Amino acid sequence: MGARTHRIRERVSGDVFLVLDGAPLLRAMELAGCRAIAVGCRGGGCGVCKVRILSGDYTCGPMSRQHIADGEQAHGFVLACRVVPTSDLEIERLREPI
């Protein structure tokens, strides 16, 4: 039996990529050769990969409050490098990929 995957769709570009269960969103996007989300430090500190989760379930690691305020996180704003999808997601990038 293969590993479970989650389908990620970025609303602005229409790009779609798959994430293995348990894998961070941003890293999976890079491994898939996709450029739907801007990439920065990959550690939750720079804010470059800020996205809004429009639908789906996920867990999220610690993020810099300088870039994601508590109120924003409650409305789906997160740093893609700190997100681990637990279902299919629809996301919206907030910056053009570099």
Side-chain angles (χ1 to χ4, degrees), residues 39-77:
V39 178
C41 72
R42 298 174 181 86
C46 74
V48 170
C49 66
K50 186 175 181 178
V51 297
R52 183 171 180 211
I53 308 285
L54 302 173
S55 65
D57 299 315
Y58 58 94
T59 60
C60 199
M63 297 177 287
S64 168
R65 290 296 165 209
Q66 180 179 351
H67 302 293
I68 304 291
D70 289 330
E72 283 187 312
Q73 191 170 351
H75 289 96
F77 292 94

Side-chain angles (χ1 to χ4, degrees), residues 1 6 15 35 42 63 74 79 86 89 94:
M1 187 184 315
H6 305 294
D15 288 346
R35 294 183 46 131
R42 298 174 181 86
M63 297 177 287
L79 300 179
T86 57
L89 298 180
L94 302 176

